[in-house]
Amino acid sequence: MEVTCLLLLALIPFHCRGQGVYAPAQAQIVHAGQACVVKEDNISERVYTIREGDTLVLQCLVTGHPRPQVRWTKTAGSASDKFQETSVFNETLRIERIARTQGGRYYCKAENGVGVPAIKSIRVDVQYLDEPMLTVHQTVSDVRGNFYQEKTVFLRCTVNSNPPARFIWKRGSDTLSHSQDNGVDIYEPLYTQGETKVLKLKNLRPQDYASYTCQVSVRNVCGIPDKAITFRLTNTTAPPALKVSVNETLVVNPGENVTVQCLLAGGDPLPQLQWSHGPGPLPLGAVAQSGTLSIPSVQAQDSGYYNCTATNNVGNPAKKTVNLLVRSMKNATFQITPDVIKESENIQLGQDLKLSCHVDAVPQEKVTYQWFKNGKPARMSKRLLVTRNDPELPAVTSSLELIDLHFSDYGTYLCVASFPGAPVPDLSVEVNISSETVPPTISVPKGRAVVTVREGSPAELQCEVRGKPRPPVLWSRVDKEAALLPSGLPLEETPDGKLRLEHVSRDMSGTYRCQTARYNGFNVRPREAQVQLNVQFPPEVEPSSQDVRQALGRPVLLRCSLLRGSPQRIASAVWRFKGQLLPPPPAVPVAAEAPDHSELRLDAVTRDSSGSYECSISNDVGSATCLFQVSAKAYSPEFYFDTPNPTRSHKLSKNYSYVLQWTQREPDAVDPLLNYRLSVRQLNQHNAVVKAIPVRRVEKGQLLEYILTDLRVPYSYEVRLTPYTTFGAGDMASRIIHYTEPINSPNLSDNTCHFEDEKICGYTQDLTDNFDWTRQNALTQNPKRSPNTGPPTDISGSPEGYYMFIETSRPRELGDRARLVSPLYNASAKFYCVSFFYHMYGKHIGSLNLLVRSRNKGGLDTHAWSLSGNKGNVWQQVHVPIKPSGPFQIIFEGVRGSGYLGDIAIDDVTLKKGECPRKQMDPNKVVVIPGSGAPRQPHPQLWGPMVIFLLALQR
């Protein structure tokens, strides 16, 4: 039969405290993740050390009223893609699988609108150790005085790590050092990337031909294991050498299949070959295998440098580069240059004239040009010259110069560019020279100097070019702050003089320049004109949404203002109430400037006039709406989160009470508060207990209080609080309250710690031990945990009940210690009794020790109690008398045994004044531990009431 407990709200008098409790934000950063250590460095800076790949969890604990909001930011290092600035209410920053680049300083900023924000920071130091790299270099020097060559070998070991790595060099299995072998030298070179140690083998000896190992270590920080790399040095060790099967520059035709072989000419160990392409990756379809690179049906875009690299960690990598050029031609252009000496911009008889022709080609220098006049090859003469590589023109440009232009020189000139003997189509460009060939002019068509369009629509800017021939038109922006066109380019070519824009936005507004190009036309000063683009967009108003509160019978003025728009004017303003059209408000007196707002006045707020008001403002392009929610209902309460020790535990009944405190937001904005409606519901339950709490006049900042009683340990509850005025219900506020253990209770007789709260009654993990105690319950246990050790539940048998235990699986070792330290207690009695339950089940159980640390003895720890070995799958209680001589702490020390089946747990720790009880329970009573699967003989020191309680739970 299940036992159901009904929540009761005790009729405890309701309290009002007349003090203002609004307070600025305060913040503190704590860690709750897989930190290796949190320490203070030499400038009192908090440093959080974590292993790369672990989970970073930082909590920003805040105080202040109203409840501050927290925003996390970061400096010094690159932020994770998943980590951004946040504004979260749970105050927790979590980064899964943290990377080294995410180390740096993290800030939490807490603000609540009262005073200045609180800013705290912590530096995150990410620890890592990469795989080491080992390279070998050698030098040969000719010592002429002694007629021999000295061969010196350098083994360079490099690694990236944090903290700096320690290097150990070994020959075979023997560790090398300066003092043991005069033929070796170990040093750290200057100006190297990463951490490097060099092993120098001087004047190589026969015994130096051996296997060498570079072992790197960060001294097991964060549990990072050592890493090593080995190289075998022989008398044939040599750097790689390469040769390729083609010339350094390879010119091919499009569509051909290209094969390049990269051949090893030396190297020991056998080098590894790799092909790369610059810029960009290898072409799609290219295959690099065993040093052979194959590119099928090569295309023009496949041109570039192809690199074959051979590496074997001896000497420098060998590299051969092939410049692959795929023949191609594109972009044939021409220029007409009038007589430069006479600074003419027109074609005139008797003056010189130059026609130029250019194509973009690969390879550029292999292009040949041929000129034709009226369909026949142009013949060279004293007045007709053909030149190449004019210094005033792009490289490899062909120019035809006409000296002292005659009427007979008029005609059609054709320039043909080709690759002789290659299957690449020729490109040609035609130029007509006559009395009608004139330089260009440019202008904006009538009525097109200003183009006005609506946002999101297409736009077309147009400039007209006259002249013969007509050159292309180049568009750019005049605005300095917006130098790029919508296409993202600084300059855009249009053959017909029209710049077409799709889906224009307001930031495209501005002045655009059109100008003639100096190619495919006259090579003269560009002609230019300008076009203004105006983009109209709907209005933007404020407030977009506003909550208006006022007492019944008081007037209200609603105002909707135009912030921006194009055009920047109000064409119409329409007011609605609950969707129904209202009569237009009184006209605003005519002023020099058009009004930029619309107002609606309510003479008195009533129940009938409360509701949603909308003001729709239009500027003929579109409209925007201000929304006002007018009512006389009260604002929501503001829960007070800084109540000291709000939880009060009742040990015998397993119940607790909670001090609920709050203030009322802007109580004077509406009618006086009459009462509050309080609803309390246990999480995961449907039924709630509801109660009305009457109040008198409530002032701003006044702290209100109500005590919730008969709450069940360790369950959490949802509390909803709604204020009521003569208007009716106001805004509801809700929060979740959790059971928290009382910390450092002044009355030690009530100081029983059930470990149900994350604060674990103020207990802390000792920073000088080997590992930590863990808080868990049956629901949070690891499903893959070791069987045949550890308790199934806490002492209460509830799956929600928590306890503390030590996990003795890897990487724990024999003798590792975990210490849990209590808060500091003031000694006000001669004798104290420490009572607690322990669970020591498993064939590898080590020891559980209770120590007392006295502050007046310089922090000396003394043993008060100790127990070792397997004690069965049962919770047992022990009472330990202590006699502290001053302020003291108690310490639970778990010691790991010989194996992983050695988990030790504790629960329900009580510290009482006076001597320990002497009465023992009946040893013949049977206690069924829930979850253990069988009745067990109880420990002689288990209390009778606990037996009855456990039996009741089992039923």
Side-chain angles (χ1 to χ4, degrees), residues 209-257:
Y209 294 116
S211 292
Y212 291 87
T213 299
C214 172
Q215 180 178 325
V216 292
S217 170
V218 289
R219 294 162 290 281
N220 203 38
V221 62
C222 292
I224 299 176
D226 296 353
K227 296 183 179 181
I229 186 171
T230 299
F231 182 89
R232 180 164 183 80
L233 182 66
T234 69
N235 58 2
T236 61
T237 298
L242 280 180
K243 61 181 180 180
V244 292
S245 60
V246 297
N247 296 328
E248 292 184 358
T249 300
L250 178 62
V251 181
V252 298
N253 295 318
E256 292 183 357
N257 296 326

Side-chain angles (χ1 to χ4, degrees), residues 7-17 639-640 643 646-648 657-663 676-680 689-695 703-711 719-721 735 737:
L7 171 69
L8 299 177
L9 294 174
L11 300 179
I12 296 176
F14 175 74
H15 299 284
C16 294
R17 298 179 181 175
F639 283 112
Y640 188 68
T643 306
T647 305
R648 297 173 185 175
S657 59
Y658 194 91
V659 180
L660 186 69
Q661 294 180 316
W662 70 93
T663 59
Y676 286 93
R677 181 180 183 270
L678 178 67
S679 170
V680 182
V689 176
V690 181
K691 180 177 178 58
I693 305 175
V695 293
L703 188 63
L704 310 177
E705 177 180 300
Y706 191 82
I707 301 178
L708 306 175
T709 62
D710 295 323
L711 308 175
V719 176
R720 296 184 176 184
L721 195 62
R735 65 169 293 191
I737 61 172

Side-chain angles (χ1 to χ4, degrees), residues 275 350 433 436 454 585 590 607 640 644 670 700 743 786 879:
W275 279 99
I433 303 298
E436 297 179 356
R454 293 192 176 187
V590 179
R607 287 184 174 83
Y640 188 68
V670 296
K700 184 175 182 178
I743 298 178
S786 305
H879 307 287

